[in-house]
């Protein structure tokens, strides 16, 4: 608040000869301040080791505050106070640089689930890239040779829910289906459905729907996780690719049924040329490198790195985060300065030799 006061004479001319002339003045006080709201507190849950090769990660715990305050001008007394100080303070506040975006107080949680593509190179590299950001913490659960066709081998309907219940992710990234082109054995009272039978697509769609319902089930009254399903890329083995031509649309339609809670990403677009032919090589870390192993299915480490780099921006977009990580929040100006470390006690002087 800026205060101004007017000086007034306090004696009458009739008493000028008997009493001294008295004058009274009020002090003038001027101050201005601009405070930014404080950021919230982030608290993460420590992870546990899973039965896979990957290490579980945990979101850290900390408190960040950001306060921007203009200094208080000095207080002047009487008519001699500097009348230009309020305008200078306001101009300084207006000329201050705009505040930079800061990382969210609580990192967004991502959970990667899937078959060998999640369990090995691609999944591990995508996890590392996400964990390198201060605004994301990523977890991963992968099982080679698994899928939704054989819950008797690995039950993703149970394991998917358990992982979501434990990790409480904001986004579940799914990549699986390469092992599902086979008979669907009896499960939960159903009969065996033969591969390529007329009712196979319907039965498989039911399993995809069941899996999605499990991983999007709200935990402890919280919001349901969003799903980003990575469609399997085009394969170099023709027999497998024919199976995936049936499986991909079923998965895509099931994800679309989630509405805003589901996103489907066609990864083939990253691995073919303009004519739709598979890329054998691509530039990775500044050099032309092979993308696929000899079987035409699995990726080399360079291929995994290449695909992870293509998928990363899509995951960040699904999280509604900026392409580049925001700057960490600066500590509050009101936070107490850390206490200096105590100085070591001086060594006693040696006793004189006798």
């Amino acid at each position: 608040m800026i205060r101004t006061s007017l000086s007034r004479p306090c004696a009458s001319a009739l008493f000028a000869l008997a009493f001294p002339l008295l004058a009274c003045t009020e002090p003038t006080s001027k101050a201005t301040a601009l405070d930014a709201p404080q950021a919230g507190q982030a608290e993460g849950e420590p992870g546990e080791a899973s039965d896979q090769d990957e290490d579980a990660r945990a979101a850290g715990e900390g408190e960040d505050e950001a306060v921007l305050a203009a200094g208080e001008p000095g207080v002047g007394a009487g008519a001699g106070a500097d009348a230009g100080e309020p305008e200078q303070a306001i101009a300084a506040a207006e000329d201050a640089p705009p505040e930079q975006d800061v990382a969210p107080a609580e990192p967004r949680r991502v959970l990667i689930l899937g078959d060998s593509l999640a369990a090995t190179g691609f999944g591990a590299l995508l996890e590392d890239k996400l964990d390198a950001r201060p605004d994301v913490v990523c977890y991963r659960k992968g099982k080679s040779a698994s899928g939704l066709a054989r819950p008797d081998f690995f039950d993703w309907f149970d394991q998917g829910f358990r992982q979501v219940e434990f990790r409480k992710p904001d986004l579940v990234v799914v990549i699986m289906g390469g092992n599902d082109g086979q008979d669907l054995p009896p499960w939960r009272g159903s009969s065996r459905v033969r591969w390529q039978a007329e009712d196979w697509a319907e039965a498989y769609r039911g399993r995809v729907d069941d899996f999605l319902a499990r991983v999007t089930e709200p935990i402890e009254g919280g919001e349901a996780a969003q799903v980003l399903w990575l469609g399997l890329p085009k394969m170099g083995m023709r027999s497998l690719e024919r199976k995936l031509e049936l499986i991909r649309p079923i998965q895509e339609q099931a994800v679309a049924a989630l509405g805003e809670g589901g996103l489907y990403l066609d990864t083939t677009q990253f691995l073919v040329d303009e004519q739709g032919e598979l890329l054998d090589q691509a530039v990775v870390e500044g050099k032309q490198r092979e993308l696929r192993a000899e079987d035409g299915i699995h990726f080399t480490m360079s291929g995994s790195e290449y695909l992870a780099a293509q998928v990363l921006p899509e995951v960040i977009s699904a999280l509604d985060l900026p392409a580049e990580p925001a700057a960490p929040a600066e500590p509050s100006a009101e936070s107490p300065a850390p206490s200096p470390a105590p100085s070591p006690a001086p060594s006693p002087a040696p006793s004189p030799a006798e």
Side-chain angles (χ1 to χ4, degrees):
M1 177 183 294
I2 301 176
R3 293 182 179 180
T4 58
S5 60
L6 180 65
S7 298
R8 297 186 304 174
C10 300
S12 171
L14 296 175
F15 300 96
L17 297 177
F19 296 93
L21 180 64
L22 302 178
C24 302
T25 60
E26 283 184 302
T28 301
S29 174
K30 301 175 286 294
T32 180
L34 175 64
D35 295 326
Q38 295 181 351
Q41 181 177 359
E43 183 175 6
E45 176 185 4
E48 293 181 359
S50 70
D51 57 357
Q52 298 302 312
D53 297 335
E54 63 274 15
D55 296 330
R57 279 144 173 103
E61 183 177 275
E63 183 173 344
D64 295 322
E65 296 178 345
V67 176
L68 175 62
E72 181 178 356
V75 177
D82 185 358
E85 290 186 17
E87 289 78 6
Q88 294 174 359
I90 294 173
E94 293 177 348
D95 293 341
E99 296 183 38
Q100 294 182 346
D101 292 335
V102 297
E106 184 174 353
R108 306 300 300 277
R109 291 170 170 258
V110 178
L111 173 63
I112 301 173
L113 302 177
D115 52 25
S116 59
L117 285 172
T120 56
F122 166 73
L125 289 168
L126 180 59
E127 180 185 24
D128 289 345
K129 291 179 183 297
L130 289 167
D131 272 337
R133 295 178 57 109
D135 50 2
V136 178
V137 59
C138 185
Y139 306 98
R140 178 169 54 99
K141 176 71 173 181
K143 179 67 174 177
S144 296
S146 69
L148 301 180
R150 295 289 304 276
D152 56 322
F153 168 70
F154 189 82
D155 190 348
W156 274 115
F157 307 93
D158 176 68
Q159 288 297 318
F161 173 76
R162 288 177 180 271
Q163 289 293 316
V164 169
E165 183 180 38
F166 179 54
R167 301 302 186 187
K168 299 178 178 61
D170 299 292
L171 179 69
V172 179
V173 179
V174 181
I175 183 165
M176 66 174 71
N179 303 300
D180 287 344
Q182 57 178 298
D183 291 0
L184 304 180
W187 180 65
R188 293 184 179 178
S190 66
S191 302
R192 176 179 293 273
V193 180
R194 299 291 182 183
W195 167 245
Q196 293 184 326
E198 291 184 0
D199 55 348
W200 189 93
E202 180 181 356
Y204 183 69
R205 168 63 187 270
R207 296 202 176 187
V208 179
D209 287 340
D210 288 345
F211 172 75
L212 289 173
R214 294 293 280 165
V215 298
T216 57
E217 187 171 332
I219 305 298
E220 298 178 358
E223 295 184 0
Q226 189 179 26
V227 172
L228 173 60
W229 193 296
L230 306 181
L232 290 170
K234 185 175 181 179
M235 299 294 174
M237 181 183 291
R238 184 55 192 160
S239 59
L240 176 58
E241 179 59 24
R242 282 196 297 267
K243 292 182 177 182
L244 295 182
E245 288 171 358
L246 172 62
I247 291 172
R248 290 192 195 99
I250 297 173
Q251 295 176 342
E252 183 176 5
Q253 292 162 13
V255 173
L258 294 176
E260 294 182 355
L263 298 170
Y264 182 91
L265 177 64
D266 175 17
T267 62
T268 294
Q269 61 183 311
F270 306 126
L271 298 163
V272 295
D273 59 21
E274 295 179 354
Q275 288 73 39
E277 298 297 325
L278 280 175
L279 294 175
D280 294 326
Q281 297 182 340
V283 177
V284 180
E285 297 179 348
K287 295 183 179 180
Q288 284 285 338
R289 301 182 187 272
E290 296 288 334
L291 299 181
R292 298 284 184 116
E294 293 183 359
D295 60 9
I297 301 173
H298 296 94
F299 291 90
T300 62
M301 285 305 296
S302 294
S304 296
E305 171 70 30
Y306 174 79
L307 183 57
Q310 304 303 313
V311 171
L312 176 65
E314 306 296 336
V315 178
I316 298 304
S317 177
L319 291 169
D320 197 23
L321 292 174
E324 295 298 328
E330 296 182 359
S332 168
E334 298 177 357
S335 301
S339 302
S343 302
S347 303
S351 301
E354 296 181 355

